[in-house]
Amino acid sequence: MNVISVDGLSKSYGTGTTQVKALHDVSFSIPQGQFVAVVGASGSGKSTLLHLLGGLDKPSGGYVHIDGDNLYGLKEKERAVFRRRKIGFIFQSYNLIPVLNVEENIQLPLLLDHRQPDKAYINDLIHTLGLHERRKHLPSELSGGQQQRVAIGRALAYRPAIVLADEPTGNLDSANGREVIDLLKLAVHQYHQTVVVITHDMNVAAEADRVLNLQDGKLISDTSSQGRLV
Amino acid sequence: MERIADPKLEVARLWRNPSIRRLSLSIAILAIAVVIFIALYSYFSADKLKQDWLDKEAAMLGSLAQDHPELATDWLKQLSQADEPSPEAIAEGRRIMERYGMTPSAMETSWLPVLGNYRFRTFWILIGAATTFIALLTWLLFRVIRRQLGEIRSLAVAMEDTVKHNRPMAYRMYDEGELGLLANSAQELTIRLRETIEQLHRDKAFLKDTVADISHQLKTPLASLMIYIDLLQAGQADAEHAAEFLRTCKRELDRMEWLTLTLLKLARLEADALQMSLRDTNLAETIQHAVHLISPLAVSKKVTLRIEDSDRGLIVPHDSHWLAEALANLFKNAVEHSPIGGTVSISWENTPVFVRVQVKDQGNGIDPRHLPHIFKKFYRNSSEGSGVGLGLPLAKSIVEKHGGVLSAAVNPIGGMMFHLSLPQHPFPVPSGELTEL
Amino acid sequence: MRSYGAMAGRYLKHQRRKSILTIVGIILSVALISSLGTMGQALKDNLLLDTKHKEGSFYFGYSKPTPELYDTLKNNVLVDQLGVYRPGITTSLEKPYSVEVGHVDENGFKLLPIHLSEGRLPQSTDELVVETWLLDRLPGLPQLNGTTELDGPDGKPRSYRIVGVLSNEKRSQLSGSSKAYTLADPATLTVNSQSLIVLTLKPGVDINRQIEAFTKLNDSLFTNEQLLALMGEAADNGLNKALAIIFGTLIGLVVLSTIAVIYNAFHIAVLERIRQFGLLRTLGATPGQIRNLVFREATALAAVGVPLGLAIGWFGMSFVLWLMTQGGLKIMMMDQFHLTFHWWIMGGSFVIGFAAVYLAAWLPARKASSVSPVEAAKGAGSIVRESYRRSRIPSLLNLAGVEGRMASNNIRRNRTKFRITTFSIVISILLFIVFHYFTQQALSMTTTTNEDDRIAFQLNQISSSESDQSRQSADFLTDEMMQELRRLPGVHGVYGTYRNATAQALVNDQEFNSDIAKQTDMENQQTEWDEKTYKLLATRIVLYDDARLQEAQNYLQSGSIDPDLLAGEDGVLLVQTIKPYNRNGKKVIMPLTGYKVGDKIKLWLNSDQDSEKKLVREVKVAGILTQSPFGSPYEGSMLTVITAKPTFASLLETAPEQYPPSFYHASRIGVDIALKDQADAQPVRVKLQEMVREIPGTSLIDIAEEQKGTRNFNLQMQIFVYGFLIIIGVIGSLNIINTVQTNLLLRRREIGLLQAVGMTMGQIRRMASAEGLWFGVIGSFWGIVLGFGCSYLLYLQLSSVQGFPYEFPWQASLIASGAALLVGLLSVQGPLRRMEKANLLEELREEA
């Protein structure tokens, strides 16, 4: 089944002569368990697409279906709850609440949903992410790479169906960047999550199962995995 | 993963249900209305009682004043006394009253019109008010319960749809509160059900494919074998050719064996029939072991397998036997693509999350467009190598069973780079596979 | 962390300094509100007690009762306490003193204003209570528990034992006739038309409605007006209403200021964290949950601030009052000033405090919850497209060079932030002006502020019409004796008392204030002189010696006070402001005439004589005073003309028939002694008593206690007033500092950018200072405008109680504006200095 299904999606800003078309009639579907990279030059509409996939913004036209639900048919409050349970975000920077420590940041979506986290699971997760010594530290005391790992930890903690990452390696050096990508791949393989990554780094794109190429708001190529070749 | 563990419904959790909040508000408003009503009622009722009672007293005073005016003044004074009546006075008065038959029990309340009116009034008004309020309350409660039951019913209908007709759930709810959690679990259940069904389909297809693969791969060597055996049986070959044929047959058989074994291994790995036993072992030793396995091949091609400067004492949880096999396959691939006399460099590094092993060769590399496909079964981009195209997929499967990642990239300075990332601390096993409940 | 709500606590802890500042603001405001409430209520309570003390605690009484009336009242169910007073026969004592022994029954002692200072009340018809000063005049010179002989009710002398001593009254001392009281025997008590019946009603009875019914019983009913007014039962409820409105307005203003402070703090806190709120939304927080977070912060702040504020308000007040009593001050001229703890005031302040905090937090909460989740996602590069409307009016700031122009642009760009900042400044200034105005007016209304307050003793010549001529031409007390008195410790001044004269001033229509005719019922006769028609105005002519003239300097409105000049040119000091009753029956302060310095006033000196020839003298106005420095500050309808000795003497001589020399002369007839604040009256008293014994024909009037009370009252009012004003100033300043500072801190990146572009720190400082100043200017402007409006409203309320002309609170406005500008300017410097030290790149790169 297609976890993400985008149909004729468009988004424009402004009116009249100052109108900017960020997305123009984009359509694609993503099945579960795929690692998808979205590439394109600056201003090609990648971020806008991501925001719309996550229900952060309102499209000017078209539909976004996640797990069969029309995302923009829901009310604002319902969309918030939907996000809480089904979508995970990782941004290029500024992912974490500055006043909460590592552990609390990871648990945050669960707490918003009034659910008590499985302590053992979270513990393990923190261990695996190599954050054990820093679990009580505030984001201001962490390096960029560590902060991104916390963000990924958050995405793994409540296992949303989709993880949307906006240039997650943009602010990191290559070693940390590799780590982030490896972790995201793990999310796909181990936890059957679907990961959509925006990137301009071709190395990252190379790791993906599928690459969507945007230019000027239009989808110009969709290199998906083909069948096996002999 | 989170758990909705606690089945107890604490008060705080109760408050999160929107229906409870609405109900509380309505009840609060109702309570205030009731209080106001009671206040008004008691005020007005007391007032009316006062009037009635004063009328009676006035009548008494009037009739007294006609004959005994001084008594009237006394009576008035007694009336206006605000102090508590003294028990002696009460006792004395009661005695007099009893003498003339006026005891509380004998006095019918209806003979005292003042009290009679009061009782009548109180009874009917309070009954009326109570009935109204209870009716309102009932209506409110019914409304709330009906709404909730309605939601439950919609959920039930939607679930029936999914279970019986395998359609996606039509009624979705994204809300806080207990019903919301129930709906969420129901939704996840249906999704998982569908995924399980799909997984089963996939498994079936996979099985079909594997069998097809095996038979396909075996078809060719079997065919050659048949020809050679026929030739040998026919006795049409001379001794030299016969030996040649026999050697070829052996080779093909070896190849078939290796193929079957590997395919089976792969199939079992992918079907989760094999379990890795992850133990903290020295990585360097495992790598050394793998190098050892491939050294004959390397020597024959004059390729050097060089281990770069890396931490020899590194301990990583892994299954030494299987990881060595995976590494061996990687090395094999690297050696096969290396030029004569080339070097395959092996190194590893320690990062906070992973241990990353790098295998670099000096071959021709490949077109980046092919990169996603090299880990697919039977994919061969070049006719180099004796393999069937199963080595890399097998390695990938093994690594993934370790909770790690295997990826490939083109080395900008030439050749291929393979990265094998193993978690230092294995990722928590997801609670339950799809086909396990 | 058990739930996401705990984040609110983290935010507060993270912003410790700011949270503490906000809490301090809340504490101050709540303290102020509860203090105002408590003070207002305590004032009313204590005024009530005091009125009961001065006027008696009865509600109303009958001045011409009959025995039947008494019986009826005794049996009336509504009557609570019933008291009877029967006057007695006056016994003459040593001239000019006399004493009257009145009979009062038990309840009467409770209801009438008879106050013991020592001993006890009479319990039999043989026992007596008298005023302290009378003890020395009674036959037998008795002390407490001594006996004396006075005329009894039947006219025959009988012996009385003095069991108690009453506090001194000024009235009785001045007039010489005093009252003493003994118990009325219930058996022989007869009520007749000379008696006085007073009574109270049972609690809960509507007094106002019953008065009519009671008047029907006997129409000689009179009410204890002041008491009933304070209890809210008077026909005229104006006082209570006015008080309620005034205090309500003041409290309302403080609440508004609190809301402004907290709104600012929250608004800025929310603005600083807008990205975090966006992030929370991307994680799936509903708008309601975010609002909840903000409200939780508000609750935490209120939960700490409000109770502390209540506690500090209560204890602070108690402490101040305790200090004052320790310093020997009688609070508000009352014997006992209790700070009564009213639950409704504390509860009300509690509720108001919380409500204000929530109200203030509401809009910021809404703003936080309405942030779009994309805000967090957009991140560093977000360029907000600001709607830039070209404003037609160029700002004055443009004149101040490029920095000014930038400052003006900055302000225009973000109108909302500008309005918020100036709003708080406006509120602070408004509060200060209104409070200042109110307290000054309240002070002037309730106190008689002139030098009379200080006069504690009077030494007077006992005049008798047949006194020696020689004595009359000599001054009472020689100048050396006056100097001696002046040297006593604690003496502020010694002033000579002289005869007054009255005359009629001939005033033409230009000089006469036409408003008088419009607003009052005053009618003035007219007369002709020198072929012109003049209005006749009664004029008081008063002699001041040098000492008094010295004090008059403080009351000078225009002109000058030079005794020699006065003498030389027949110069006078004029007091032309009077306090008549207007048509509505209220007192108003207004000028009677419009004389200026240098004008000449025509005094018709023999107006009482029906002579053909008018003896008119002209005096020149050398100075105009705001009010009379001695005596009552304002006359009801007369002009007051103050002269030096030579002029006075010559005026008297001009019309000897009007001013017969047997009575009128320019010699001293008495001496007023004024004490310094906090001075001990006893040494002076002892000296004066000695003088009385040494110099025959002198009498001492001792009003030291009363004077001390009055004087201290003013002092206390000043203390309270300035205390309140300081607190308000602090609240306002806190507000301004908080706002301006966070304003700047939010623009750190912008300032970093300016530095990168090449603006020097000095230029940036000038720009920020220009902005700060402009806030102050606009804020002051609006603050003063609104201050004028509000103070005028307050004036309307206050003048319904007592009339006086409206004066714009210039002083308060200037102080407040100056302070606001200063605070605004200074509070800009701190953050700027901090920014100066910070790394430029860090600023630019900083994301949060």
Side-chain angles (χ1 to χ4, degrees), chain A:
Chain A
M1 182 185 83
N2 284 325
V3 147
I4 302 180
S5 174
V6 172
D7 197 12
L9 194 62
S10 318
K11 172 79 185 175
S12 15
Y13 295 104
T15 52
T17 48
T18 51
Q19 193 179 52
V20 170
K21 258 190 171 356
L23 280 182
H24 194 90
D25 203 20
V26 172
S27 307
F28 58 86
S29 306
I30 301 180
Q32 197 206 11
Q34 245 189 10
F35 188 111
V36 179
V38 178
V39 300
S42 299
S44 53
K46 316 192 291 282
S47 292
T48 316
L49 179 63
L50 203 78
H51 298 160
L52 287 174
L53 281 179
L56 297 184
D57 205 354
K58 274 194 142 60
S60 313
Y63 296 96
V64 174
H65 290 269
I66 301 200
D67 253 352
D69 269 313
N70 180 2
L71 192 58
Y72 294 99
L74 297 171
K75 290 189 280 213
E76 182 63 47
K77 184 159 180 233
E78 288 179 322
R79 226 191 342 269
V81 178
F82 187 94
R83 262 205 299 280
R84 219 189 271 175
R85 297 182 181 154
K86 293 205 132 125
I87 306 180
F89 275 101
I90 300 173
F91 298 110
Q92 184 175 8
S93 59
Y94 202 77
N95 274 303
L96 311 174
I97 302 286
V99 296
L100 299 177
N101 64 29
V102 165
E103 200 169 5
E104 290 158 347
N105 260 299
I106 290 182
Q107 296 171 359
L108 193 50
L110 293 168
L111 292 174
L112 283 174
D113 212 13
H114 311 293
R115 296 198 260 189
Q116 284 304 322
D118 184 342
K119 290 278 193 265
Y121 180 76
I122 301 279
N123 234 335
D124 265 343
L125 198 56
I126 291 181
H127 249 97
T128 311
L129 291 170
L131 295 168
H132 185 66
E133 274 98 50
R134 298 235 179 220
R135 63 190 307 150
K136 296 287 183 197
H137 286 216
L138 295 175
S140 52
E141 297 160 340
L142 302 174
S143 72
Q146 287 164 332
Q147 286 187 26
Q148 286 299 59
R149 273 186 270 138
V150 176
I152 293 178
R154 184 175 66 205
L156 294 178
Y158 66 107
R159 305 239 334 249
I162 320 176
V163 176
L164 302 173
D166 190 344
E167 307 263 12
T169 58
N171 273 1
L172 305 174
D173 58 25
S174 57
N176 275 312
R178 280 220 60 78
E179 220 157 40
V180 166
I181 298 299
D182 281 344
L183 282 170
L184 288 175
K185 293 190 86 155
L186 264 171
V188 172
H189 295 311
Q190 298 276 73
Y191 299 124
H192 310 288
Q193 288 172 299
T194 309
V195 173
V196 178
V197 176
I198 292 186
T199 184
H200 57 260
D201 182 351
M202 288 326 267
N203 289 327
V204 172
E207 302 274 354
D209 299 327
R210 180 169 165 189
V211 176
L212 299 172
N213 202 322
L214 281 181
Q215 195 179 54
D216 292 329
K218 300 199 190 75
L219 188 62
I220 56 173
S221 84
D222 179 358
T223 52
S224 47
S225 55
Q226 288 145 21
R228 51 198 174 91
L229 297 173
V230 180

Side-chain angles (χ1 to χ4, degrees), chain C residues 61-124:
Chain C
Y62 298 92
S63 51
K64 290 198 189 24
T66 62
E68 297 82 38
L69 177 68
Y70 185 68
D71 286 326
T72 319
L73 287 174
K74 269 220 305 214
N75 288 324
N76 191 314
V77 281
L78 300 174
V79 169
D80 191 12
Q81 287 171 305
L82 192 60
V84 179
Y85 166 72
R86 225 185 48 202
I89 314 279
T90 311
T91 315
S92 297
L93 305 168
E94 189 189 322
K95 286 224 174 59
Y97 303 107
S98 63
V99 64
E100 177 195 320
V101 177
H103 292 255
V104 184
D105 71 346
E106 200 186 320
N107 272 336
F109 273 117
K110 289 194 205 138
L111 297 176
L112 292 169
I114 297 173
H115 306 294
L116 269 187
S117 81
E118 265 184 78
R120 60 170 173 82
L121 290 171
Q123 280 162 1
S124 83

